[in-house]
Amino acid sequence: MSNGSLPARRGALGGAALLALASLALSCGSGASGPPENDAKPSPAESGSSAGSGPDGDAGGGSPSSGRDGRGPLAGKVVVIDPGHNPGNRKHAREINKSVDIGTGRKECDTTGTATNDGYSEASFTLDVARRIVKVLEAQGATVKLTQDGSRAFGPCVDERARIGNEAEADAAVSIHADGSATGNRGFHVILPAKVKDGDADTRAIVGPSRDLGERIAGAFTRRTGSAPSNYIGDKGLDVRSDLGGLNLSKVPKVFIECGNMRDARDADRLTSATWRRHAAQGIADGIGDHLKP
């Protein structure tokens, strides 16, 4: 999960702690300390690290290039997909620990995120799912922008992630994450922006459309993946927060989705499956499409 998490829920540490604990992954979840982030990948049959790799790399929905010719049900729509964290963050503790303004206060630029007990990092997971979503949405005619594609050294910071969506004048923005909570805590949840008016944060205009976006993603995610809503956070898979810079600073409809709990073995089995990630991406894309289609 991204920077700005509630202390009671999140164990993600900033760069100062990373300097002392360079070999440890930071938890994205409910106070659990992450395992070493060695970027271990799932088995070759399950890796699917690229949106177009192998049979499970086919995100479905037709040719990924068809979104560039102005045709399809989402033609003219702009979507920003934000893969949470960055695989390089753990090598840039000082930079990601930089304080940024999130409207309601100041928070770290970013965090490393969490990982499964076998070392599959959240940052690798979010990039994989994001790339799959891009293929599905482009096939339906949408213009899709990523906040980062794994090519930059670290970040972007949470305020820049929001700014990318704002400058794109996105019709919808979704930040992809996985949680790092205690064993037994299972399921997904979608985080909606609270009504905030403080400093540079003013979410009043996006609270309503963001809720519609989140509800549609939650429904489609369940249908596609078979995953149940979280049994430990939120109500029917929806949670409202005012402490996340990526939401507070957004001027466009935006939600976060925590696709599951990487620290629970049963959820981790799903999150490390390329087939399941394909379904997850399709569910998120379906929800976005349902929100955007007339």
Side-chain angles (χ1 to χ4, degrees), residues 6 10 29 52 58 85 100 117 160 260 262 269 281-282 290 293:
L6 288 172
R10 305 293 184 213
D58 182 4
H85 311 289
V100 298
N117 291 332
E160 184 182 351
M262 299 195 98
D269 282 345
Q282 186 70 57
D290 290 344
K293 292 171 187 174

Side-chain angles (χ1 to χ4, degrees), residues 53-265:
S53 61
D56 286 331
D58 182 4
S63 168
S65 63
S66 62
R68 302 187 182 101
D69 60 11
R71 295 197 297 265
L74 298 182
K77 300 297 185 182
V78 177
V79 179
V80 169
I81 301 297
D82 175 29
H85 311 289
N86 182 321
N89 277 0
R90 72 181 187 274
K91 298 178 182 178
H92 294 273
R94 185 170 289 104
E95 291 90 344
I96 68 169
N97 194 46
K98 180 182 71 172
S99 174
V100 298
D101 186 357
I102 66 165
T104 55
R106 299 190 69 83
K107 292 290 181 69
E108 294 164 305
C109 158
D110 204 358
T111 62
T112 65
T114 189
T116 66
N117 291 332
D118 290 332
Y120 180 53
S121 70
E122 180 186 3
S124 296
F125 168 82
T126 65
L127 274 171
D128 179 272
V129 173
R131 289 166 177 159
R132 295 170 187 272
I133 295 170
V134 170
K135 291 187 69 175
V136 178
L137 294 177
E138 283 188 343
Q140 298 181 51
T143 297
V144 189
K145 299 178 183 295
L146 290 173
T147 59
Q148 59 98 4
D149 63 2
S151 63
R152 54 187 292 167
F154 64 91
C157 296
V158 294
D159 57 339
E160 184 182 351
R161 291 174 189 266
R163 187 162 58 249
I164 290 169
N166 296 342
E167 291 178 350
E169 298 182 345
D171 296 289
V174 180
S175 189
I176 311 300
H177 287 271
D179 210 354
S181 187
T183 298
N185 290 342
R186 302 193 62 222
F188 76 92
H189 64 281
V190 178
I191 304 174
L192 314 176
K195 187 178 289 187
V196 173
K197 176 68 171 71
D198 195 351
D200 290 334
D202 187 354
T203 63
R204 292 174 295 178
I206 69 166
V207 166
S210 295
R211 175 168 284 275
D212 180 77
L213 173 64
E215 289 175 346
R216 291 177 185 273
I217 288 175
F221 194 84
T222 295
R223 289 192 297 272
R224 287 287 186 175
T225 66
S227 292
S230 170
N231 64 5
Y232 63 103
I233 289 179
D235 179 22
K236 298 179 180 178
L238 301 175
D239 191 28
V240 178
R241 292 179 60 175
S242 62
D243 65 313
L244 299 177
L247 296 181
N248 287 359
L249 299 175
S250 183
K251 307 300 181 187
V252 302
K254 184 174 182 179
V255 300
F256 283 40
I257 180 167
E258 299 276 8
C259 295
N261 176 17
M262 299 195 98
R263 304 302 304 283
D264 177 83

Side-chain angles (χ1 to χ4, degrees), residues 24-46:
L24 296 180
L26 298 182
S27 170
C28 181
S30 307
S33 176
E37 275 193 293
N38 57 17
D39 279 339
K41 300 298 187 292
S43 65
E46 291 297 322

